[in-house]
Amino acid sequence: MIKQFEPYRRLIEQWLSGFLLSRGKELGKANRWGTDVTKRLSTFATKGKLLRGCLLLFSGRMFDKESENSALEVASAYELIHSSLLIHDDIMDRDTQRRGMPSIFCQYKNLIEDEKAKDPLHVGESLGICAGDLALFFAFEILARVNLDPNIKQRIIYLWSRELGNVGIAQMQDVSFAASMCEPEEKEILSLYLYKTARYTFSTPLITGAILTGQNQGTIGILEELGEYFGLIFQLKDDELGLFGSEAKLGKPVGTDIEEGKKTLIMHYLSGMLEDEDKRRLDTIRQKERILSSDLEFIRSAVRRTKAQERIEKMMNEMERKAENLISKLKVKEADRNILFDLLSFSLRREW
Amino acid sequence: MIKQFEPYRRLIEQWLSGFLLSRGKELGKANRWGTDVTKRLSTFATKGKLLRGCLLLFSGRMFDKESENSALEVASAYELIHSSLLIHDDIMDRDTQRRGMPSIFCQYKNLIEDEKAKDPLHVGESLGICAGDLALFFAFEILARVNLDPNIKQRIIYLWSRELGNVGIAQMQDVSFAASMCEPEEKEILSLYLYKTARYTFSTPLITGAILTGQNQGTIGILEELGEYFGLIFQLKDDELGLFGSEAKLGKPVGTDIEEGKKTLIMHYLSGMLEDEDKRRLDTIRQKERILSSDLEFIRSAVRRTKAQERIEKMMNEMERKAENLISKLKVKEADRNILFDLLSFSLRREW
């Protein structure tokens, strides 16, 4: 992440660890899972980039230096919601690695195996569903207790729950696309990116910071649109890294998007550009549950040859210009504007 | 359910259907799942007993005739949370039937099969996880928008999210017990019943009604304890019906508790009372994934012979006396007190 977010990251990491440690002590009195799940959530939640929480804190501070105390708890709650979604996503996608360690359901699968109990995969998934649910309950508990104007709090809970509704049905779309053989249209893929990633990852944290500091609808509108461009760029870059990135830097294997049947825009373009034998080979690879490194190499070289990635880069560059325009419109200090430009540049050029 | 709750049931059913229809129309613009999932949630949520929502409405009205408008939305939100937990539970327990129809993940499994997509069970479970998450997001959306004193709202969200934390770790305990061969202690089973069912099903709705109408801590304390007794009785009765009940009346098969490895109190007692060949036969049955009607008959007759159920009935009768005492302490109208007595009697004598 950009270095200017590092202090925010540390604040959230510290606050979340403290909160989960204290809740773990309380819940640990009921049974062993109270301590177990809060420890795992603490490690899992604080190992991420904490991009959403940092953005929220940054957005609040950009408008009002004094916003940080309550914003920190709100940002931590948002990160727990994100962890909740990731934990559930990993079950759906059967992703065994996340943030450089086994995903939560895999950790539980391993635990159940060690304890020689029945059906470790299913029980691991079940405990994973519970862990994701718990992360969400903790998030709303934090929102309920944070010292904040009750009207502002109400607006934030409304904003989040509405946006999470969009995320939920986008995730259903994603799951059903991955399971089916049909190729969605370009606009369906972009709508999925908008609702599953862009608005939730960028628009919502930016808007939350603005609500916390009482900004007007004009500013909120700019942040909403800016967040959408940021998020689309972020997702398109994610797809690129999922194909061309380094496993060590990403903390998860490369090529799993294909194995999981993810209908990414790059694969959509590539599929439309290949013909005959190449097209058939691509289709065969896309139906495999485990792809070989030669399969990945075939796709990489086809992407280069057809210049499918250049088409996406052109799209990203247009979005970058629009985002730059929106950033210029924001009435904020020069230093904060530059942080937004840095973040934009990072989103386009990151390697993880 | 008791007939006095029928008007509350209808109110919640109507309000929830309207809310989900309207959200379905909005979300349907994004993709096909918006309409799909809200329709399924509407049918699923309104087909239940709506006991928790009715209790909440009843509790509010018991203290203040005028509480109903906002209480109705709060009660509907609580029912959506309950649907969310049931949808996730059914995935964990692999329960294919619920409320007289296929459980949500099964509905999706069937849909995916019809669409000839890959891996229908896993995709059905994945869409089920999403549907459960969405029910929870909708619940918090309702809480965020309901017209209510913001401080009261905050107290309710805090109460619920704390109690849901308890439910979450109790569910983890339940899942891990079911997966393991070891026999938990009596107090572990009762603690599970307390946190997974009793406090969440009875104490929390009763307390919520009291918070909505500004009751003092003394009253809240009585309701909390009363709810615990109600809930323990309710769960013990549930276990009995799961063994001796009628599938037609329950809307789900009988004997699945055993197939799912549920560590019920009745099985715990039975297991401690059987010896030699009978004990070995019981252990063998408890390890089966599908039990035969002769297995169920063996357990039923062993329960009768050992009088294990009488031991539980004695426990339930003691709890009934304590609950009656607490009901007498409540400063409410005679008619409302009688409804609570009726509910207690129903909990003990119900057939579904």
Side-chain angles (χ1 to χ4, degrees):
Chain A
M1 196 39 51
I2 57 170
K3 67 178 189 309
Q4 296 96 323
F5 278 8
E6 198 41 49
Y8 301 134
R9 221 202 86 89
R10 273 199 299 272
L11 282 173
I12 298 170
E13 190 179 333
Q14 201 177 1
W15 194 90
L16 255 188
S17 313
F19 171 79
L20 288 168
L21 185 68
S22 128
R23 287 301 275 124
K25 277 184 192 157
E26 289 168 324
L27 287 170
K29 289 173 199 156
N31 66 47
R32 69 162 167 148
W33 299 100
T35 326
D36 176 283
V37 75
T38 47
K39 268 192 192 160
R40 287 179 206 272
L41 285 178
S42 184
T43 311
F44 184 81
T46 58
K47 264 216 166 176
K49 292 189 276 277
L50 307 190
L51 165 62
R52 292 155 191 81
C54 290
L55 262 177
L56 195 160
L57 271 186
F58 165 73
S59 170
R61 209 219 36 141
M62 172 167 76
F63 296 113
D64 177 4
K65 272 269 178 215
E66 305 302 310
S67 74
E68 254 165 50
N69 281 339
S70 51
L72 174 57
E73 298 185 40
V74 176
S76 302
Y78 204 68
E79 279 297 336
L80 273 180
I81 288 181
H82 182 52
S83 288
S84 165
L85 295 182
L86 287 183
I87 291 168
H88 285 177
D89 276 18
D90 285 343
I91 298 171
M92 301 182 210
D93 296 342
R94 298 221 145 119
D95 272 324
T96 55
Q97 288 285 310
R98 170 74 72 174
R99 295 173 170 174
M101 55 181 184
S103 52
I104 295 285
F105 86 89
C106 259
Q107 294 178 24
Y108 281 126
K109 175 176 148 278
N110 297 339
L111 179 78
I112 296 300
E113 269 166 3
D114 291 345
E115 296 186 354
K116 307 208 185 312
K118 286 193 286 199
D119 209 351
L121 175 63
H122 182 68
V123 177
E125 289 179 346
S126 299
L127 293 172
I129 295 175
C130 294
D133 288 346
L134 277 159
L136 207 69
F137 303 151
F138 289 142
F140 282 101
E141 180 184 328
I142 294 170
L143 283 182
R145 52 163 247 177
V146 61
N147 184 12
L148 205 61
D149 175 309
N151 290 309
I152 288 183
K153 188 180 287 195
Q154 190 160 301
R155 274 182 72 192
I156 292 174
I157 299 180
Y158 189 70
L159 171 77
W160 290 12
S161 51
R162 294 281 293 193
E163 205 53 58
L164 285 169
N166 292 333
V167 174
I169 62 157
Q171 174 67 7
M172 294 182 86
Q173 179 89 313
D174 200 20
V175 165
S176 77
F177 279 165
S180 86
M181 285 299 121
C182 69
E183 190 66 41
E185 293 171 34
E186 179 180 6
K187 69 170 187 194
E188 287 179 306
I189 297 174
L190 286 170
S191 157
L192 187 69
Y193 286 5
L194 189 66
Y195 288 110
K196 191 181 160 182
T197 307
R199 294 179 52 84
Y200 154 72
T201 305
F202 288 88
S203 304
T204 306
L206 287 171
I207 294 173
T208 304
I211 292 177
L212 278 171
T213 53
Q215 303 311 301
N216 62 29
Q217 276 306 320
T219 304
I220 288 177
I222 294 174
L223 293 173
E224 183 173 6
E225 205 185 340
L226 175 61
E228 292 184 356
Y229 289 125
F230 256 115
L232 289 172
I233 289 170
F234 196 84
Q235 181 60 54
L236 292 168
K237 189 73 194 179
D238 228 45
D239 294 345
E240 184 190 324
L241 292 171
L243 212 48
F244 291 99
S246 126
E247 179 165 338
K249 285 183 187 165
L250 290 172
K252 60 182 183 185
V254 171
T256 51
D257 281 354
I258 302 164
E259 293 174 342
E260 289 162 9
K262 284 284 151 72
K263 301 296 191 287
T264 58
L265 195 62
I266 181 78
M267 293 302 276
H268 176 79
Y269 286 164
L270 182 63
S271 168
M273 288 158 116
L274 292 185
E275 284 179 341
D276 306 330
E277 202 189 323
D278 282 344
K279 172 82 169 87
R280 280 192 297 277
R281 179 155 178 205
L282 179 71
D283 289 344
T284 310
I285 293 174
R286 291 182 84 183
Q287 287 176 47
K288 289 186 176 181
E289 288 199 9
R290 286 282 161 268
I291 61 166
L292 308 169
S293 56
S294 56
D295 295 329
L296 191 59
E297 213 29 74
F298 167 78
I299 291 178
R300 284 172 173 170
S301 93
V303 166
R304 285 191 203 97
R305 194 171 67 246
T306 57
K307 305 194 172 166
Q309 185 59 31
E310 285 175 31
R311 205 166 144 188
I312 286 179
E313 264 154 31
K314 206 178 142 219
M315 190 185 266
M316 286 161 85
N317 289 335
E318 270 171 40
M319 289 179 184
E320 185 185 20
R321 272 198 303 281
K322 287 180 182 162
E324 283 168 348
N325 250 329
L326 288 163
I327 294 173
S328 307
K329 279 193 201 165
L330 280 174
K331 293 190 187 88
V332 293
K333 281 185 291 297
E334 197 58 29
D336 289 330
R337 203 188 304 281
N338 286 335
I339 292 177
L340 285 170
F341 284 129
D342 281 357
L343 184 65
L344 191 58
S345 166
F346 168 80
S347 300
L348 274 154
R349 282 160 270 280
R350 69 198 169 97
E351 292 183 355
W352 54 281
Chain B
M1 196 39 51
I2 58 171
K3 66 178 188 308
Q4 296 97 322
F5 278 8
E6 197 41 49
Y8 300 133
R9 222 203 87 89
R10 273 198 299 272
L11 282 172
I12 297 170
E13 189 178 331
Q14 201 176 1
W15 194 90
L16 256 187
S17 313
F19 170 80
L20 288 169
L21 185 68
S22 128
R23 288 299 276 122
K25 277 184 192 157
E26 289 168 323
L27 288 170
K29 288 174 200 156
N31 66 48
R32 69 160 167 149
W33 299 100
T35 326
D36 175 284
V37 75
T38 47
K39 267 191 192 161
R40 286 179 208 272
L41 285 178
S42 184
T43 311
F44 184 82
T46 59
K47 263 217 167 176
K49 292 189 276 276
L50 306 190
L51 165 62
R52 292 155 191 82
C54 290
L55 262 178
L56 196 161
L57 271 186
F58 164 73
S59 170
R61 208 218 37 141
M62 172 167 75
F63 295 112
D64 177 3
K65 272 271 178 213
E66 305 303 310
S67 74
E68 255 164 49
N69 281 339
S70 51
L72 175 57
E73 298 185 40
V74 176
S76 303
Y78 204 68
E79 279 297 336
L80 273 180
I81 289 181
H82 182 52
S83 288
S84 165
L85 296 182
L86 287 183
I87 292 168
H88 284 176
D89 276 19
D90 285 343
I91 298 170
M92 301 182 210
D93 295 343
R94 299 220 146 119
D95 272 324
T96 56
Q97 288 285 310
R98 170 74 73 175
R99 295 173 170 173
M101 55 183 183
S103 53
I104 295 285
F105 87 88
C106 259
Q107 293 178 23
Y108 281 124
K109 175 177 147 278
N110 297 339
L111 180 77
I112 295 300
E113 268 166 3
D114 291 346
E115 295 186 356
K116 310 213 183 309
K118 285 193 285 198
D119 208 353
L121 175 61
H122 182 69
V123 176
E125 289 179 346
S126 299
L127 293 172
I129 295 174
C130 294
D133 288 347
L134 278 159
L136 207 70
F137 303 151
F138 289 142
F140 282 101
E141 181 185 329
I142 294 170
L143 283 181
R145 55 164 244 177
V146 60
N147 184 14
L148 205 61
D149 175 307
N151 289 308
I152 288 183
K153 188 181 286 195
Q154 188 160 303
R155 274 182 72 192
I156 292 174
I157 298 179
Y158 188 70
L159 172 76
W160 290 13
S161 50
R162 295 280 294 192
E163 205 55 56
L164 285 169
N166 292 332
V167 173
I169 61 158
Q171 174 68 8
M172 294 181 87
Q173 177 89 311
D174 201 21
V175 165
S176 77
F177 279 166
S180 85
M181 284 300 120
C182 70
E183 189 67 40
E185 293 172 34
E186 180 179 5
K187 70 171 186 194
E188 287 179 306
I189 297 174
L190 286 171
S191 156
L192 186 69
Y193 286 5
L194 188 66
Y195 287 110
K196 190 181 160 181
T197 306
R199 293 178 54 83
Y200 154 72
T201 305
F202 288 88
S203 304
T204 307
L206 287 171
I207 295 173
T208 304
I211 293 177
L212 277 171
T213 53
Q215 303 309 302
N216 62 29
Q217 276 306 322
T219 303
I220 288 177
I222 294 175
L223 293 173
E224 182 173 6
E225 203 184 340
L226 175 62
E228 293 184 357
Y229 289 125
F230 256 115
L232 289 172
I233 290 170
F234 196 84
Q235 182 60 54
L236 293 169
K237 189 72 194 180
D238 229 44
D239 295 345
E240 184 190 323
L241 292 172
L243 212 48
F244 291 99
S246 128
E247 180 166 336
K249 286 184 186 164
L250 291 172
K252 61 182 183 184
V254 171
T256 51
D257 281 354
I258 302 163
E259 292 174 342
E260 289 161 11
K262 285 284 151 74
K263 301 297 191 288
T264 57
L265 195 61
I266 180 79
M267 294 301 276
H268 176 79
Y269 286 165
L270 183 64
S271 169
M273 288 158 115
L274 292 185
E275 286 178 340
D276 307 328
E277 200 188 323
D278 283 344
K279 173 83 169 86
R280 281 192 296 277
R281 178 154 178 206
L282 179 71
D283 289 344
T284 310
I285 293 173
R286 292 182 84 182
Q287 287 178 46
K288 289 186 177 180
E289 289 199 8
R290 286 282 160 269
I291 61 167
L292 307 170
S293 57
S294 57
D295 294 329
L296 191 59
E297 213 27 75
F298 166 78
I299 290 178
R300 284 171 173 171
S301 93
V303 165
R304 284 191 204 99
R305 197 171 65 245
T306 57
K307 303 193 173 166
Q309 186 57 32
E310 284 175 32
R311 205 167 142 187
I312 286 180
E313 264 154 32
K314 205 179 143 218
M315 190 186 266
M316 287 162 85
N317 289 334
E318 269 170 42
M319 289 178 183
E320 185 185 21
R321 272 198 304 280
K322 286 180 182 161
E324 283 169 346
N325 249 328
L326 288 163
I327 294 174
S328 306
K329 278 192 202 165
L330 280 173
K331 294 191 186 87
V332 293
K333 281 185 290 297
E334 197 59 29
D336 289 330
R337 202 188 305 280
N338 286 334
I339 292 177
L340 285 171
F341 284 128
D342 280 357
L343 184 65
L344 190 58
S345 166
F346 168 80
S347 300
L348 274 154
R349 282 160 269 280
R350 70 199 169 97
E351 292 184 356
W352 53 281

